[in-house]
Amino acid sequence: MTKITKYSIVIILLISLTSSCGLFQSVDANDPYQEDPSTPPGTIMLTEDLYIDRVPVTNLMYKEFLSNVENYWSLEKHEKLKSFPRYDVDKDSVFIPWTGNTRLLMEVTHQDPRKMITTKLSMGNYTSSPFFQWHPVVDISKEQAELYCLWRTDLANSVYAIKSKNKSQRARFPYKVKYRLPTQREVVAAQNKLEREFKLTKYQDQIYAYTGDFSLFRRMQDDQNQMTIMEIKEIAKDGVYNSLLDRKLEYYDQEELKTGFRCICEILDEDDVVALDD
C-alpha cells in the first residue's frame, strides 16, 4: 500500500488546483507543451506582447491563490524566485509546502463570508460551492487583486522553467510574463479590437443563481477564441469600471453590480527584464 504523507497531499492539491489556470497541464506528460506555448495561460492575444484574461478571475482561480499563499508562496518567496534558473527546474524546489505567510493569507482572504451577495446567497457559499467555482470572484480589493497578479506572475514563470529541460525547450515559451491589472484605456481598446474581430462575448444573465447551465461558465473560460464580459464591475490599475463599458445593462441594475477583476499580461524580452532589474 502506498503511503500518502502530508507533503504528498499538498503537492497533489497544488497540481490539481493550478490546472484551473492551465499552468500545470502536461507538466509530467510526454509532451510538456501547451497547444500554443507562446500564449500565457487563460488569456487572449491583443498585440504581440500584450494579452488579456478571457474571463474575470474565477472563484477557483482565487482559491488556488489562497491555497498557494497558505502552503508555500509569500513575498519572501517572490524575491527568492528571481534567482531561479529559467529551465531544468525541479517542481519540488518551487512548490515547497509550509513556507507561506499567515498574515498575508489573512490579508488576501475574503473578510466577511457571511456578507450576502443576494438575499439568498452568502459570500461564503458563493466562494466555496462547487457550482460557483467557475464564476467570477467578487468583493476583492485592489490590493488583493495586485497580490494575485504578482503571485500569478511567479507561478507562470516557474511552470515555464519546470516544463523546460533545456534552453531550446525554454525558447518555446515567452522569455518572461508579467500579470498586472489593466488600465481602463487598455480595457476599452481590448474590447473594441476583439469586438471587431468577433471575439467578444457579452454575458448578460444571472450570475449568482443556482439555475441554468451548470457548465456554462467553465466553457466561457475554456474558449480560447473569446473574451467574455459580464454584468459586473472590474478593478483597473486606475480605478473601477463597468466591464460592459457603455453597453446597456440587461439583467442587473447599476447598484446591484458586484466588483471582480481580470489580469492583463505583458510579454517581456531579455532587454525588458534587464531594464526592470536595473
Side-chain angles (χ1 to χ4, degrees):
M1 181 180 294
T2 302
K3 182 179 181 181
I4 301 178
T5 65
K6 183 181 290 187
Y7 176 84
S8 63
I9 290 173
V10 171
I11 293 297
I12 292 169
L13 177 63
L14 285 171
I15 292 174
S16 64
L17 285 173
T18 47
S19 65
S20 66
C21 285
L23 294 175
F24 251 115
Q25 293 174 0
S26 302
V27 168
D28 297 315
N30 292 329
D31 179 7
Y33 305 111
Q34 300 166 210
E35 290 184 7
D36 183 4
S38 65
T39 299
T43 66
I44 187 168
M45 183 177 183
L46 298 176
T47 68
E48 187 175 337
D49 57 3
L50 201 64
Y51 295 73
I52 194 167
D53 277 343
R54 298 191 296 267
V55 297
V57 172
T58 67
N59 283 318
L60 183 60
M61 292 162 68
Y62 200 79
K63 183 181 287 187
E64 173 190 355
F65 169 50
L66 295 177
S67 175
N68 277 242
V69 171
E70 181 179 16
N71 291 314
Y72 93 91
W73 190 81
S74 64
L75 294 176
E76 291 79 7
K77 185 62 175 290
H78 165 71
E79 293 299 323
K80 289 181 180 179
L81 288 172
K82 293 179 181 180
S83 63
F84 274 50
R86 299 185 62 251
Y87 54 85
D88 197 24
V89 171
D90 181 358
K91 66 173 179 286
D92 289 340
S93 69
V94 176
F95 300 104
I96 301 173
W98 317 127
T99 60
N101 186 301
T102 302
R103 180 175 294 179
L104 184 63
L105 179 63
M106 293 174 63
E107 290 178 6
V108 296
T109 300
H110 285 87
Q111 297 302 307
D112 186 4
R114 295 172 297 180
K115 181 178 180 180
M116 302 303 292
I117 296 181
T118 70
T119 57
K120 297 181 179 180
L121 181 64
S122 70
M123 183 64 66
N125 287 332
Y126 178 69
T127 57
S128 62
S129 169
F131 178 84
F132 292 116
Q133 63 182 333
W134 302 107
H135 289 53
V137 66
V138 296
D139 201 31
I140 295 297
S141 70
K142 182 180 180 182
E143 292 74 21
Q144 290 171 324
E146 288 174 335
L147 281 168
Y148 174 92
C149 293
L150 185 64
W151 160 79
R152 188 172 171 187
T153 296
D154 284 346
L155 185 62
N157 289 311
S158 295
V159 172
Y160 289 153
I162 291 168
K163 285 186 174 183
S164 306
K165 297 305 178 185
N166 53 53
K167 187 175 181 179
S168 177
Q169 290 184 358
R170 184 64 180 81
R172 298 188 62 181
F173 298 101
Y175 185 86
K176 186 174 183 179
V177 297
K178 177 185 177 183
Y179 289 91
R180 59 170 173 80
L181 293 176
T183 65
Q184 294 185 59
R185 182 176 181 179
E186 287 172 325
V187 171
V188 173
Q191 290 194 19
N192 289 340
K193 170 183 168 59
L194 295 174
E195 190 163 37
R196 289 194 302 269
E197 298 172 355
F198 304 101
K199 295 180 179 180
L200 186 70
T201 298
K202 298 185 288 293
Y203 178 80
Q204 295 184 264
D205 205 336
Q206 295 186 85
I207 297 176
Y208 315 105
Y210 288 98
T211 58
D213 186 343
F214 279 27
S215 62
L216 174 61
F217 283 79
R218 171 66 185 267
R219 294 201 303 273
M220 289 181 191
Q221 178 169 313
D222 289 345
D223 189 344
Q224 298 183 21
N225 297 310
Q226 291 289 315
M227 173 182 166
T228 300
I229 54 177
M230 305 177 185
E231 291 195 355
I232 64 173
K233 295 179 288 186
E234 294 186 20
I235 302 168
K237 193 174 182 179
D238 51 353
V240 176
Y241 64 94
N242 182 338
S243 60
L244 287 168
L245 302 177
D246 57 351
R247 296 167 174 84
K248 182 180 179 181
L249 296 174
E250 294 182 6
Y251 191 85
Y252 295 101
D253 294 329
Q254 185 69 38
E255 61 271 15
E256 294 178 305
L257 295 184
K258 310 304 178 187
T259 301
F261 73 103
R262 76 179 73 217
C263 304
I264 205 162
C265 184
E266 298 179 39
I267 304 295
L268 306 177
D269 60 25
E270 187 172 4
D271 291 338
D272 294 326
V273 174
V274 171
L276 287 173
D277 290 341
D278 291 343

